[in-house]
Amino acid sequence: MPDSFPDVLGLALRVETDTGHADLELASTGSGLPLRFALVPRWVPSRGVFTTLLPYRGDAGPVLIRARPLRPSLPADLPGIERALREETWRLSLSFATPGGPWHPFALLSLNARGGDSDIRFDAGSSILPGARMYRWANAVRQPSYDAVQRRDR
């Protein structure tokens, strides 16, 4: 979208596990019902939340994951975000919930732009968090997009 319009924002995380890595991809959504199931365009990443939108299948049933920005407030433009994250660490609270339940915080996430690989390709459809599985219907919705991104020229 042009910079003058809000857009659906994404947040991709790579988690190192005992067996390799897992990817988690979140999008700007609402937090309460029913907006936790709706993509919400935003101008600024630190205003609003990011969720998995579609649930993972856990041992106890469906689970959503949410990242709620804490501080600092980030600018709207990509160069400004990169500058801000070189100077300061962005902190987000990670929570989980059942589709209709309350959010339960479980971790504090700290992100910055001080190093790392800027050419990472994320694939949350194939590199799933330990203990999580994809519902067949959610996989049918998600996987074509993940596959298309993996095929795209770098």
Side-chain angles (χ1 to χ4, degrees), residues 27-99:
S28 57
T29 65
S31 191
L33 291 170
L35 289 179
R36 67 174 61 172
F37 301 106
L39 296 171
V40 177
R42 302 197 188 286
W43 276 284
V44 180
S46 51
R47 293 191 189 136
V49 300
F50 299 86
T51 74
T52 50
L53 184 64
L54 300 175
Y56 284 99
R57 184 175 166 199
D59 290 337
V63 177
L64 297 166
I65 298 175
R66 175 185 77 172
R68 184 175 56 85
L70 300 173
R71 64 184 196 291
S73 182
L74 296 178
D77 63 299
L78 287 176
I81 292 170
E82 186 175 357
R83 274 192 308 276
L85 293 179
R86 286 188 192 284
E87 297 171 8
E88 199 168 354
T89 298
W90 193 30
R91 302 210 188 291
L92 302 99
S93 172
L94 295 181
S95 303
F96 70 92
T98 61

Side-chain angles (χ1 to χ4, degrees), residues 75-145:
D77 63 299
L78 287 176
I81 292 170
E82 186 175 357
R83 274 192 308 276
L85 293 179
R86 286 188 192 284
E87 297 171 8
E88 199 168 354
T89 298
W90 193 30
R91 302 210 188 291
L92 302 99
S93 172
L94 295 181
S95 303
F96 70 92
T98 61
W103 293 103
H104 302 281
F106 68 89
L108 179 65
L109 178 65
S110 299
L111 300 174
N112 62 52
R114 296 179 209 119
D117 184 356
S118 63
D119 196 32
I120 292 176
R121 292 280 175 116
F122 292 87
D123 187 353
S126 297
S127 301
I128 300 174
L129 294 166
R133 296 173 303 287
M134 297 279 266
Y135 286 100
R136 284 186 187 153
W137 64 267
N139 194 49
V141 170
R142 288 179 171 153
Q143 200 58 46
S145 296

